[in-house]
Amino acid sequence: GPDAAHGDAELLSANESAYQLDDLAGPVRSLPDRRFADLVAEQAGRTPDAVAVVAGDDELTYAELDRRADRIARGLITLGVADEDVVAVASSRTIDWPVAVLGVFRAGGVYLPIDPKYPENRVKTLIERSACRIVVADPDVTGVFTTGGMAVTVTTVPDLLDGDHPDGPVERTVTAGQLAYVYFTSGSTGQPKGALCEHGGMLNHLLAKIEDFTVGPADVVAQNAPLSFDISLWQLIAGWAVGAKTIIVPDAAIRDVTRFLETVRGAGVTVLQVVPSYLDLLLRHLGEDDERLDSLRIVSATGEALPIKLADRWFQRFPGVPLVNAYGATEASDDTTHAVLTKPPEGGVMPLGDPIRNVHVRVVDERLRLRPLGSSGEIVFAGVCVGRGYLNDIERTEAAFVADPVRPGERLYRTGDMGRWGPGGTLEFQGRRDEQVKVRGLRVELGEVESWMLSAPGVRGAAVVVKDGNLAGFYTAETEIDFTTHLATGLPAHMVPRSLRRLDVLPLNANGKVDKKALAAHAAPST
Ligand code: ADP
């Protein structure tokens, strides 16, 4: 635990302590003493008529975005939102979404994104677990929140815009240590966990994206990630600090790669971040002499390991367009390292990159001592990026957020990722030390899926593995059970196994645990 870690620091020899301090740190930069939402207001003063955001046929200029966000903030405060109150935004990716997000930040609230496509059960769990009393919802999804007798106020962006509160900016001071948002991620014990991040970490990451991706007023940034994935936030708002334009790519164009490519070309997207499997899809769909990605100035892959072969293919096709491998975790305010590649990496290793500004990265052993160069260990993050912990969950918070043995008063976030400093000081990713997996970039705890399978009547045993990028479920039961519907009522679509198969027994390994390797070999190849 944290105390043991403090003890260890004292036991280190002087040499070791010096080495401990020699973790890899990003550049030191001072944070502006203003909120991100204020930076947007300042930008609106500079370029009021420039377009800030586009969603389908709708668009908002900076002046209009700024005015609407103030109306939302005033409306939320009138409804009783105080500092650090959680405000759920259950929005489709329409033009109302950015207005709601900026409004929540200006009101001093904590932004909780809820994908309205999530099953009702899941939505209720998130609302209950966050003790959220105010939901800003799409006009057509309000029903979900009012059932069950919870005292939740449901409102909409149009209602808040029309409310009879006064106009004008809201005077609220938001400090760097104040909570900015909470994203729920999959939890191994069957319950999702809410990762809390603060304004300082959020602002630092947004500024790192601007700095490392050199985002400027001429840029068009694509917003393509789903609302429940934390990368959706920087995609939506980062460009507003510098006068860039955000394009919210319609859901239909995300499902259909051809339409996605058309959208990129039509909007002249210059900055794009996708998960590796989507980058792969884009390249596969691009014909010879196809110009649909030619507007791109920089592309970033994130969320899971970026295959070297994919980077090779990128540079064969776009030798002049940098590819960034971005690595991080929701608990640490999104990406913490950026590897800005201008050619395929050498030595057969994909680097995770250097820490972003004001972030420290270390590779440590079980007792948080620095591992020697070249040896594997757990990757931990320190610095302004470290979030506050998990909402209403002291136990899991204390396990993952621990006192930094080197910098008193600071905390580390233990990622659960294994890695090492390779030759030349390159940070390498070496997989997980637990059962967290990624499905097309989205985070899934196999244990959470298994616990939902076990809650289906008649299921005795359950195990889930990843096969060819998809979840494959196995169960034991007296008879075949059709529980896809059961799973879909509690789990987001990406967590429902693509295939479910009954076995007489689950294979066990030498330790008596379910042998997941054997199961993966068993799973039908996905089509
Ligand atoms: P984020 O939202 O910041 O992308 P998540 O919280 O969804 O991250 O997932 C974090 C985990 O995803 C990391 O701990 C790691 O296992 C994996 N991951 C994220 N980016 C990369 C990357 N570039 N390379 C390898 N693994 C990655």
Side-chain angles (χ1 to χ4, degrees):
D3 292 329
H6 266 308
D8 280 354
E10 284 154 26
L11 296 175
L12 293 172
S13 70
N15 264 349
E16 281 176 314
S17 304
Y19 185 46
Q20 268 280 26
L21 277 167
D22 196 17
D23 54 10
L24 201 69
V28 179
R29 298 269 189 280
S30 56
L31 280 180
D33 58 359
R34 301 183 299 289
R35 306 172 296 177
F36 179 79
D38 297 329
L39 300 182
V40 182
E42 287 165 22
Q43 184 61 42
R46 290 190 291 270
T47 56
D49 301 326
V51 175
V53 57
V54 181
D57 295 332
D58 300 316
E59 61 177 44
L60 294 177
T61 61
Y62 272 89
E64 189 57 17
L65 171 67
D66 189 52
R67 188 190 74 81
R68 290 192 188 189
D70 281 338
R71 298 276 315 150
I72 301 299
R74 289 233 174 203
L76 289 173
I77 289 169
T78 307
L79 287 173
V81 171
D83 280 354
E84 298 210 339
D85 278 354
V86 175
V87 180
V89 175
S91 179
S92 310
R93 294 168 52 260
T94 63
I95 202 75
D96 285 345
W97 173 39
V99 172
V101 174
L102 202 54
V104 172
F105 288 149
R106 286 200 176 158
V110 181
Y111 166 56
L112 163 61
I114 291 189
D115 191 331
K117 289 193 292 291
Y118 269 15
E120 240 177 74
N121 270 328
R122 184 86 168 182
V123 171
K124 282 185 187 151
T125 305
L126 303 191
I127 298 282
E128 273 167 27
R129 285 183 64 95
S130 58
C132 158
R133 289 181 302 106
I134 297 182
V135 183
V136 183
D138 278 352
D140 56 334
V141 298
T142 51
V144 175
F145 312 101
T146 46
T147 51
M150 287 179 293
V152 175
T153 303
V154 184
T155 181
T156 65
V157 166
D159 280 352
L160 290 167
L161 289 176
D162 290 347
D164 73 43
H165 40 271
D167 269 328
V170 170
E171 295 303 329
R172 277 216 169 162
T173 330
V174 177
T175 60
Q178 191 170 319
L179 288 178
Y181 60 75
V182 53
Y183 280 85
F184 276 89
T185 71
S186 181
S188 57
T189 55
Q191 283 297 322
K193 47 189 186 189
L196 294 162
C197 291
E198 298 171 347
H199 276 272
M202 173 178 88
L203 179 58
N204 190 65
H205 172 251
L206 295 172
L207 296 175
K209 277 287 180 295
I210 292 168
E211 189 173 286
D212 297 350
F213 289 30
T214 58
V215 182
D219 276 309
V220 179
V221 183
Q223 195 305 304
N224 48 277
L227 178 102
S228 50
F229 189 2
D230 68 340
I231 71 169
S232 65
L233 188 62
W234 87 260
Q235 292 179 340
L236 182 69
I237 72 179
W240 296 338
V242 290
K245 189 200 285 184
T246 303
I247 301 294
I248 300 177
V249 180
D251 288 340
I254 289 166
R255 286 190 299 267
D256 176 346
V257 188
T258 303
R259 287 183 64 180
F260 190 90
L261 291 165
E262 293 299 333
T263 308
V264 168
R265 177 166 63 183
V269 170
T270 60
V271 180
L272 174 66
Q273 184 174 57
V274 288
V275 295
S277 52
Y278 206 84
L279 186 62
D280 178 64
L281 265 186
L282 290 176
L283 283 175
R284 278 177 204 282
H285 275 75
L286 213 57
E288 257 176 69
D289 303 321
D290 192 325
E291 295 174 353
R292 288 178 294 179
L293 290 185
D294 283 6
S295 58
L296 293 179
R297 186 179 64 65
I298 190 164
V299 168
S300 170
T302 193
E304 59 189 314
L306 171 59
I308 294 210
K309 280 198 178 140
L310 184 54
D312 287 344
R313 279 166 55 215
W314 177 260
F315 287 113
Q316 266 159 29
R317 182 72 203 238
F318 296 101
V321 181
L323 172 63
V324 185
N325 184 21
Y327 162 71
T330 307
E331 289 87 338
S333 316
D334 198 354
D335 293 324
T336 45
T337 69
H338 289 154
V340 183
L341 307 171
T342 53
K343 56 182 173 42
E346 279 154 23
V349 174
M350 173 56 67
L352 288 179
D354 298 327
I356 62 167
R357 59 212 298 286
N358 301 322
V359 165
H360 300 257
V361 177
R362 267 182 242 165
V363 176
V364 300
D365 67 14
E366 293 276 292
R367 296 166 72 196
L368 303 178
R369 290 171 305 198
L370 210 67
R371 298 284 288 143
L373 290 180
S375 312
S376 301
E378 182 177 8
I379 302 176
V380 299
F381 304 139
V384 66
C385 64
V386 178
R388 196 181 291 176
Y390 300 114
L391 188 65
N392 298 326
D393 194 335
I394 293 170
E395 206 173 307
R396 287 193 284 189
T397 300
E398 285 186 344
F401 296 81
V402 298
D404 185 340
V406 179
R407 288 182 187 74
E410 292 199 27
R411 290 177 316 138
L412 303 174
Y413 171 65
R414 306 180 63 151
T415 60
D417 292 328
M418 299 301 288
R420 66 165 198 153
W421 296 112
T426 305
L427 183 62
E428 300 169 12
F429 177 71
Q430 297 181 308
R432 296 284 308 172
R433 47 161 227 196
D434 56 14
E435 292 219 307
Q436 179 182 301
V437 301
K438 286 290 187 128
V439 178
R440 283 170 286 280
L442 299 173
R443 191 162 145 175
V444 178
E445 288 286 355
L446 296 177
E448 185 174 3
V449 183
E450 289 160 359
S451 97
W452 263 92
M453 287 173 68
L454 284 169
S455 72
V459 174
R460 291 208 195 120
V464 180
V465 299
V466 180
K467 175 81 170 184
D468 302 335
N470 293 307
L471 297 180
F474 297 88
Y475 64 97
T476 55
E478 203 72 40
T479 54
E480 299 263 334
I481 299 175
D482 180 9
F483 53 172
T484 316
T485 319
H486 170 79
L487 296 179
T489 58
L491 296 172
H494 70 275
M495 291 179 68
V496 177
R498 174 78 56 101
S499 64
L500 286 165
R501 186 161 155 197
R502 187 174 77 95
L503 297 176
D504 290 333
V505 283
L506 295 173
L508 300 183
N509 63 22
N511 299 327
K513 292 188 178 174
V514 174
D515 187 344
K516 298 234 165 160
K517 279 198 186 121
L519 281 179
H522 239 53
S526 323
T527 43

